[in-house]
Amino acid sequence: MTTTTDWCYLLGTISFVGIVVLHSWWKATNESMSYPPGPVKLPLIGSVHLLPQRYQERTLAEWGKTFGDIVFAKLFQTPAIIISSYDIARDLMERRSGNYSDRPRFILIVELMGWKNAITHLPYGEQFRLHRKWMQNAFQTKSALDGYRSIQRREVIVFLNNILSSPNTWASHLTRFSASIIMEITYGHQVTSSDDKFIGIAQRAGEETVTAGSPGSMLVDFFPIMKLIPAWCPGGGFKRKAAVAGKYVRELYDAPYNMVRDNMRKGTARPSFTANLIEQLDRDGRLTHEWEENVKGAAAAVYAAGTETTATVMMTFMLAMVRYPDVYRKLQEEINQVVGSERLPDCDDRQALPYTECVIKETYRWRTPVPLGIPHSSTKPDAYNDYHIPQNAMVIPNIWAMSQDERMYYNPTEFRPERFLKTNVLDPKNIVFGFGRRQCPGNELADRSIFLLISGIAATMDITKCKDSMGIEITPPPNFTSGLVSRPEEFCCTIKPRSGKAERLVRQMNVVVTEE
């Protein structure tokens, strides 16, 4: 006779066997899918020994040519997926963005330097979605973008007037141009001098951050226990650098925010991203210290990301025009024909300037400002083209490799805007601003600023090569710095007004904007 105990034993045995069988099936299924091919991996260090300190995008691009457009590597014990193809980047980070929108843990830049509550480094979740909503409302609606046009036009005129006064310091004028636009939009502060206090704070914070290291690139990011090393110990130099950077990052968070709060109390605050958020949170009764830190982080991220990349793109444009004078002449001719010489180009002229549009696209492509982007992270295991992608893998889009893909861009090292007259060529704006839910929310604002400045320069200025003591023209080499942001190494060029009429136009317009 079968007892209740016997039945329980039998059911338990069946359940156990079933679990074992299901586990074996799951394990066999997953193990039957191998990782993507990749470089040799050594115990403990993985493939780190194969990566150079500088220009890592080039080595990763070589891996792509050797192993394929999706490569598996190990950076110490962290699994890494390197993507060198736009199609794969789109498939994973856009079409499967729910799984590829997270970030690795950035110990150096977030936990030690203090870049907390910055959307660029936030893990994917509720806080990230809130910050992205703030950004979308401020930078992606047509009404918001149109509201910034007067600031952008004014700063183009200020830049051109500064060139007339001191053409040899054109690079610093470019930095001021991008910083002034973002500073006013973010904090309502209009920059009126080259030694502006708040721009100085932001520049120092950016410089010290870059010097201390890039996100996901330092040992402490792979071995969190290194956080505990005292700064005075051998090997603790990264903590000393991070502490210096952290001081300026904290000042960037606090100083402009406090300026906005003080102006709001006085009733003199100008409309801005920060003021709008403070008003909204105060109205809802949520302006606590925690929420203030969220606003500070969001504003600092907008300023830091927008200023550096826009200035870098413009410096790349300047280098390209010096090296390719025929391109610059065609650009000037188109603007002459469409806009004339009585005014500066405006956003409404853009559709009628197809060659100008091609020049902007080729500037983005020729040398992408952020070659490797900021790594994504996979939230859960995934399969792609019969390859296994593990959970918590660092996913690195090699934007530089995509921009130099010979299958898409013929002779990619050459600056050839005409390539974009064909409709089947990938628009580099689809890659340089990032992917999926991590795409730069200020891309349209940056793109408008770049259009207005490029077309304004071409309408009023001639850019030519410098000459040496023998009167021989100097062609600057296409050399770029290594790092998270890659910009042209310092070079010389000559900038002069195209004509007396162009010079008078710039000076007259500057008088108008100065009086406003």
Side-chain angles (χ1 to χ4, degrees):
M1 182 176 179
T2 304
T3 64
T4 301
T5 302
D6 293 333
W7 279 110
C8 289
Y9 178 79
L10 178 62
L11 288 173
T13 302
I14 293 172
S15 298
F16 175 76
V17 171
I19 291 170
V20 170
V21 170
L22 285 173
H23 176 74
S24 299
W25 172 84
W26 177 87
K27 185 177 181 182
T29 300
N30 281 275
E31 289 183 348
S32 68
M33 301 180 65
S34 61
Y35 293 123
V40 63
K41 303 164 190 67
L42 298 180
L44 298 179
I45 66 171
S47 305
V48 168
H49 64 295
L50 301 175
L51 279 176
Q53 287 292 316
R54 290 165 55 81
Y55 304 107
Q56 293 181 353
E57 66 275 9
R58 300 177 186 176
T59 298
L60 297 183
E62 288 302 315
W63 289 2
K65 291 178 181 179
T66 302
F67 302 108
D69 289 331
I70 181 168
V71 172
F72 176 76
K74 273 205 170 179
L75 306 180
F76 297 104
Q77 293 303 297
T78 300
I81 300 293
I82 300 103
I83 301 171
S84 299
S85 157
Y86 167 70
D87 289 336
I88 296 177
R90 181 185 56 188
D91 286 346
L92 296 183
M93 289 181 282
E94 293 185 358
R95 292 174 177 168
R96 304 185 192 181
S97 60
N99 191 41
Y100 293 96
S101 295
D102 206 1
R103 291 288 196 214
R105 182 183 174 188
F106 296 135
I107 295 175
L108 179 72
I109 198 166
V110 174
E111 299 178 27
L112 295 181
M113 291 190 207
W115 284 98
K116 300 176 181 178
N117 300 308
I119 190 172
T120 45
H121 307 121
L122 285 175
Y124 186 71
E126 184 177 348
Q127 186 185 19
F128 169 82
R129 287 188 287 270
L130 174 64
H131 280 230
R132 185 156 185 86
K133 182 180 179 181
W134 288 350
M135 303 291 183
Q136 288 171 337
N137 290 339
F139 301 109
Q140 293 190 345
T141 66
K142 185 178 184 302
S143 59
L145 289 169
D146 287 346
Y148 304 141
R149 285 172 65 168
S150 61
I151 298 173
Q152 292 169 305
R153 285 195 298 260
R154 183 192 69 221
E155 292 305 324
V156 169
I157 295 168
V158 171
F159 170 85
L160 295 173
N161 189 69
N162 287 340
I163 289 294
L164 294 179
S165 302
S166 52
N168 292 334
T169 56
W170 57 269
S172 64
H173 299 325
L174 286 177
T175 300
R176 173 185 163 156
F177 167 79
S178 58
S180 298
I181 291 174
I182 300 298
M183 179 63 70
E184 187 162 352
I185 291 172
T186 307
Y187 299 107
H189 172 68
Q190 183 175 342
V191 176
T192 58
S193 67
S194 58
D195 59 350
D196 182 87
K197 169 187 174 182
F198 297 109
I199 287 185
I201 292 171
Q203 287 180 335
R204 190 64 186 270
E207 290 167 359
E208 295 295 341
T209 298
V210 171
T211 300
S214 301
S217 68
M218 303 296 287
L219 274 175
V220 69
D221 288 326
F222 299 99
F223 299 102
I225 196 171
M226 291 181 67
K227 280 180 60 179
L228 303 179
I229 296 176
W232 49 266
C233 276
F238 72 94
K239 290 193 74 172
R240 293 191 292 273
K241 291 181 179 179
V244 173
K247 172 186 174 183
Y248 292 104
V249 171
R250 189 68 251 176
E251 192 173 7
L252 171 60
Y253 272 47
D254 291 340
Y257 178 88
N258 292 337
M259 177 265 296
V260 174
R261 288 300 308 268
D262 289 343
N263 289 342
M264 291 178 73
R265 293 188 187 100
K266 298 174 186 174
T268 59
R270 304 174 67 180
S272 69
F273 174 77
T274 301
N276 290 343
L277 290 180
I278 291 173
E279 287 180 357
Q280 176 185 327
L281 293 171
D282 194 30
R283 186 170 57 248
D284 297 340
R286 293 189 295 164
L287 196 58
T288 62
H289 173 73
E290 178 183 357
W291 280 103
E292 282 193 314
E293 288 299 303
N294 267 283
V295 174
K296 290 177 182 180
V302 169
Y303 180 87
T307 298
E308 182 71 12
T309 52
T310 299
T312 295
V313 170
M314 287 305 308
M315 290 178 187
T316 300
F317 165 77
M318 297 294 289
L319 176 61
M321 296 306 98
V322 175
R323 289 182 54 83
Y324 297 89
D326 289 346
V327 170
Y328 194 58
R329 281 192 289 270
K330 290 180 183 179
L331 177 62
Q332 289 181 313
E333 289 169 3
E334 181 181 72
I335 291 174
N336 282 350
Q337 293 172 3
V338 175
V339 180
S341 59
E342 302 296 327
R343 63 179 180 87
L344 294 179
D346 203 350
C347 292
D348 296 334
D349 299 310
R350 191 165 184 172
Q351 287 188 338
L353 297 168
Y355 189 74
T356 304
E357 191 69 27
C358 290
V359 170
I360 294 171
K361 290 179 180 179
E362 184 70 341
T363 301
Y364 289 141
R365 185 209 65 82
W366 191 51
R367 181 65 193 196
T368 55
V370 186
L372 292 176
I374 299 177
H376 293 223
S377 180
S378 55
T379 306
K380 58 185 179 181
D382 196 12
Y384 183 78
N385 285 356
D386 295 328
Y387 292 131
H388 174 62
I389 298 176
Q391 184 178 10
N392 298 325
M394 182 181 289
V395 182
I396 303 171
N398 192 341
I399 295 173
W400 181 81
M402 297 176 204
S403 73
Q404 301 297 308
D405 191 341
E406 295 178 350
R407 296 167 295 184
M408 181 60 68
Y409 305 114
Y410 174 73
N411 201 357
T413 59
E414 292 295 309
F415 192 92
R416 295 186 173 183
E418 291 81 5
R419 71 176 83 242
F420 293 108
L421 294 175
K422 300 178 181 179
T423 57
N424 64 337
V425 179
L426 173 65
D427 186 342
K429 285 188 282 189
N430 292 336
I431 61 176
V432 298
F433 290 109
F435 298 94
R437 300 174 193 180
R438 288 288 180 175
Q439 186 181 64
C440 172
N443 58 346
E444 290 295 334
L445 176 69
D447 186 58
R448 284 192 180 194
S449 294
I450 289 164
F451 164 76
L452 288 170
L453 190 54
I454 284 178
S455 59
I457 291 172
T460 59
M461 301 291 167
D462 283 330
I463 303 173
T464 56
K465 298 175 183 179
C466 291
K467 295 181 180 180
D468 63 17
S469 59
M470 302 294 292
I472 299 174
E473 289 186 336
I474 302 171
T475 300
N479 294 337
F480 293 80
T481 61
S482 175
L484 174 63
V485 178
S486 178
R487 60 171 53 191
E489 293 183 354
E490 187 175 343
F491 67 95
C492 173
C493 69
T494 300
I495 310 177
K496 294 180 179 179
R498 293 183 63 179
S499 64
K501 185 176 182 179
E503 181 176 356
R504 287 192 296 275
L505 174 65
V506 171
R507 295 196 184 281
Q508 289 168 1
M509 296 187 75
N510 187 64
V511 170
V512 172
V513 299
T514 302
E515 292 176 348
E516 288 180 349

